[in-house]
Amino acid sequence: MSVEIAEPETRKPPRLRRPRAGVLQFLAIGYLFALVAVVAVLRLGGERWWLSTVALYLPRVGFGFPLPFVVAGLLWARSYRLLLTQLACAVIVLFPLMGLGMRGRQPATPGAWRFRVFTANIGNGAAGSAQVVARARSADPDLIVLEEVADTPFEIERLRAGLAGYAFWSSGQFAVASRFPIEDAEVPPPLDRGGRRLPRNYARLRLLTPAGPIRLYAVHPISPHSAFDELRGAEPTGDFTDELLTARVFDPRARAVLEENTERRVSQVRALADDARQSPEPVLIAGDTNLPGLSWALATLLGDYHDAFADAGRGFGYTYPTWHRRWLRIDRLLGGPRLRFLSAASDPPRLYDHLPLTAEVELLSGAR
């Protein structure tokens, strides 16, 4: 008599439970709405609310941090239709938030006169006038606009000598070298703010180009750096991220410090816009605007002007800070209706803590 021995039953390991569709739908759609809300707060709040002012200067790549995790969850749960929401999230992060440019070089207008512009914040000459001159000349520009120039006779003369062959003008923190004659160059008088004098932080020049006069504004509104440094209660270390993310930003005193700093910057930008609006000639605005993408002041006060990188740039075009990583595009070239940008690029090497911005511009006839 044989006895059959039953083989032990083998159990398959339990399958991992997939996330519930409702939870993933909430996360996917909630993330999309959150990004839309961030864009709205930055664009509509901007410099009008102290907290959104701080957020304007933060590295915006952080808003894309949840994206790969939400996508992975949707793939695991096989919720393929919801992947469209994450595609929309990626578009929002890359374009409105991070400012990705896709246009690149534009075709020239037949018969239009063209010229090249170079602008840079040179950090009070920290890089040395020889490096500034070499960097500017390497772009072979027709017009050079420098901000944060060391206002000393020695440095000015070194710049003037290095840029021989250009018409040269300087005053305060600004220096302009032009292959076209310069007329009516001045730094306008300070603004009166309730008995206190506020420098306008821009210079106004008239350039006599072969295609007609152009009104140039070299600009550098007050930086938010001073407000962030004061909040830290310490000397600047060069790490701009730490200045923004420090918990001291949420100190009650932060609001007054940031609002005062922001009000001064917006007043300077408004004065610039009012001045440029009165020009009967094509307007070119060049320099360190200290206005990041989605800035309310940039869109509201200078929104009538074309942005060189938005019109003819490719990539992110970040110009600041350059010590470790860049995430802000604050150095700009803006043009009025008769100026059209054909190319724009912010390429290394840096000049102190900014990258220069170079653009090719064409001046359209009045009939156009």
Side-chain angles (χ1 to χ4, degrees):
M1 179 176 180
S2 61
V3 179
E4 296 182 359
I5 301 176
E7 295 182 1
E9 182 180 355
T10 58
R11 295 184 178 180
K12 295 182 179 180
R15 298 180 65 181
L16 296 177
R17 297 182 63 185
R18 299 187 185 277
R20 293 185 178 180
V23 174
L24 286 169
Q25 182 178 7
F26 174 79
L27 290 175
I29 298 177
Y31 179 41
L32 175 59
F33 275 93
L35 289 177
V36 172
V38 168
V39 173
V41 168
L42 293 180
R43 172 61 184 82
L44 301 177
E47 291 86 356
R48 298 191 291 180
W49 183 34
W50 73 273
L51 199 54
S52 58
T53 300
V54 173
L56 278 173
Y57 296 90
L58 288 172
R60 299 182 191 174
V61 66
F63 290 112
F65 178 78
L67 185 60
F69 299 99
V70 178
V71 169
L74 293 175
L75 291 174
W76 176 254
R78 298 178 182 173
S79 299
Y80 301 126
R81 291 184 178 180
L82 287 176
L83 289 174
L84 292 175
T85 64
Q86 301 315 290
L87 177 61
C89 289
V91 170
I92 292 174
V93 171
L94 288 173
F95 291 94
L97 286 173
M98 296 182 65
L100 178 62
M102 297 292 289
R103 301 196 66 183
R105 184 172 182 83
Q106 300 297 299
T109 303
W113 178 75
R114 295 186 300 238
F115 63 104
R116 289 178 62 82
V117 185
F118 174 95
T119 182
N121 180 324
I122 63 174
N124 284 314
S129 56
Q131 183 178 346
V132 171
V133 168
R135 180 68 182 86
R137 282 193 173 275
S138 68
D140 191 27
D142 300 293
L143 177 62
I144 300 170
V145 182
L146 303 177
E147 311 88 51
E148 283 290 343
V149 175
D151 188 19
T152 64
F154 178 74
E155 288 298 327
I156 296 301
E157 286 308 311
R158 292 193 65 178
L159 284 175
R160 187 191 303 272
L163 296 172
Y166 289 86
F168 187 86
W169 174 89
S170 70
S171 180
Q173 64 161 305
F174 299 107
V176 174
S178 169
R179 285 179 173 153
F180 325 118
I182 298 175
E183 285 188 347
D184 302 333
E186 65 170 336
V187 174
L191 299 168
D192 185 358
R193 297 176 69 237
R196 292 183 298 170
R197 294 167 66 82
L198 174 67
R200 292 176 182 251
N201 280 22
Y202 69 83
R204 181 178 59 224
L205 305 89
R206 189 169 185 258
L207 308 179
L208 302 180
T209 78
I214 291 177
R215 186 71 64 173
L216 169 68
Y217 290 86
V219 303
H220 186 204
I222 185 173
S223 168
H225 242 305
S226 59
F228 294 131
D229 289 343
E230 186 170 342
L231 291 175
R232 295 174 63 204
E235 292 297 321
T237 63
D239 194 333
F240 199 59
T241 313
D242 290 344
E243 296 174 28
L244 293 174
L245 297 179
T246 175
R248 287 178 61 105
V249 170
F250 299 97
D251 187 284
R253 292 170 296 179
R255 180 169 183 172
V257 173
L258 286 172
E259 286 182 345
E260 169 64 17
N261 175 273
T262 304
E263 183 183 350
R264 293 170 65 190
R265 182 164 53 258
V266 172
S267 296
Q268 291 171 335
V269 175
R270 181 175 286 110
L272 164 68
D274 291 342
D275 191 331
R277 193 177 299 115
Q278 300 174 27
S279 171
E281 299 152 349
V283 169
L284 177 65
I285 299 172
D288 178 0
T289 65
N290 277 313
L291 301 175
L294 294 178
S295 159
W296 172 86
L298 178 65
T300 304
L301 302 176
L302 299 175
D304 292 337
Y305 297 92
H306 302 283
D307 182 280
F309 195 85
D311 284 359
R314 190 179 299 275
F316 294 105
Y318 298 149
T319 60
Y320 181 86
T322 59
W323 295 114
H324 303 295
R325 57 194 180 276
R326 299 185 295 274
W327 68 85
L328 288 173
R329 185 163 66 84
I330 54 178
D331 299 88
R332 299 181 182 276
L333 283 165
L334 306 173
R338 287 184 55 198
L339 294 176
R340 179 170 174 262
F341 295 104
L342 303 179
S343 66
S346 54
D347 297 323
R350 60 182 171 86
L351 291 174
Y352 191 53
D353 55 354
H354 285 254
L355 281 183
L357 177 62
T358 306
E360 187 174 6
V361 196
E362 64 180 16
L363 177 59
L364 304 176
S365 66
R368 293 178 185 273

